[in-house]
Amino acid sequence: MRIGELSERTGVSIRSLRYYDDQGLLPTGRTSGGHRTYPEAAIDRVIRIQELFAAGLNSSKVRDLLPCMRDSDGGPSERATPLLVEHLQAERDRIDRQITEMRRTREVLDDVIAAASSASSGESPSGPAARTPAVA
């Protein structure tokens, strides 16, 4: 299939598909006129790439991991290694740290919203922001 069809079938932009090709993430063939062609299996590969990017992996990590994963279901291929598991656990730990930090940030934002809502409605604010002593 041509790049436009792959883009349409996966919902991924042509620009992104070209980037995947340039990064060695998505193997392509070429017509005699130099146009990219893709096998049907490229659809699963693109979906897998998108999932890995969404998980916060960069293209270098994705390139290292893809050979160890089955495109069809994301499961480990026969090339999966203990190193793959180590890399994936490190990425999961990084994501967990980001989630924890984002939760803290959300709590602070919730306190600010509550204080601002109370101030605009004339109510007495409550929560940590309300306990801050006034400066004389």
Side-chain angles (χ1 to χ4, degrees), residues 9 15 19 24 32-33 48 52 54 73 79 81 85 91-92 100 103 106-107 110-111 116-117 123:
R9 291 178 68 184
R15 183 177 179 188
Y19 174 78
S32 59
R48 197 70 46 231
L52 293 170
D73 64 1
R79 294 183 59 191
T81 65
V85 173
E91 287 301 322
R92 186 183 59 209
T100 298
R103 283 186 178 135
R106 184 181 60 197
E107 289 170 6
D110 286 346
D111 288 343
S117 295
E123 294 179 18

Side-chain angles (χ1 to χ4, degrees), residues 3-23:
I3 195 167
E5 182 182 350
L6 182 59
S7 173
E8 196 172 295
R9 291 178 68 184
T10 60
V12 175
S13 71
I14 290 173
R15 183 177 179 188
S16 291
L17 294 173
R18 286 184 180 131
Y19 174 78
Y20 299 166
D21 182 19
D22 292 343
Q23 294 298 305

Side-chain angles (χ1 to χ4, degrees), residues 100-114:
T100 298
E101 188 57 38
M102 290 179 89
R103 283 186 178 135
R104 281 191 215 120
T105 301
R106 184 181 60 197
E107 289 170 6
V108 170
L109 182 59
D110 286 346
D111 288 343
V112 171
I113 290 169

Side-chain angles (χ1 to χ4, degrees), residues 17 26 28-29 36 38 58 94-95 100 103 105 117 129 132 136:
L17 294 173
L26 184 62
T28 62
R36 291 175 171 90
Y38 302 90
N58 62 39
R94 181 189 60 78
I95 291 167
T100 298
R103 283 186 178 135
T105 301
S117 295
T132 305

Side-chain angles (χ1 to χ4, degrees), residues 45-111:
R45 171 60 64 104
V46 169
I47 291 167
R48 197 70 46 231
I49 292 167
Q50 290 283 291
E51 290 173 343
L52 293 170
F53 279 148
L57 300 169
N58 62 39
S59 58
S60 175
K61 284 263 196 232
V62 171
R63 186 175 39 256
D64 292 343
L65 294 177
L66 281 173
C68 300
M69 300 174 73
R70 291 189 305 260
D71 287 331
S72 59
D73 64 1
S77 74
E78 60 281 350
R79 294 183 59 191
T81 65
L83 183 60
L84 169 67
V85 173
E86 184 180 319
H87 283 283
L88 291 175
Q89 287 174 334
E91 287 301 322
R92 186 183 59 209
D93 291 345
R94 181 189 60 78
I95 291 167
D96 285 344
R97 287 189 301 274
Q98 286 180 321
I99 290 169
T100 298
E101 188 57 38
M102 290 179 89
R103 283 186 178 135
R104 281 191 215 120
T105 301
R106 184 181 60 197
E107 289 170 6
V108 170
L109 182 59
D110 286 346
D111 288 343

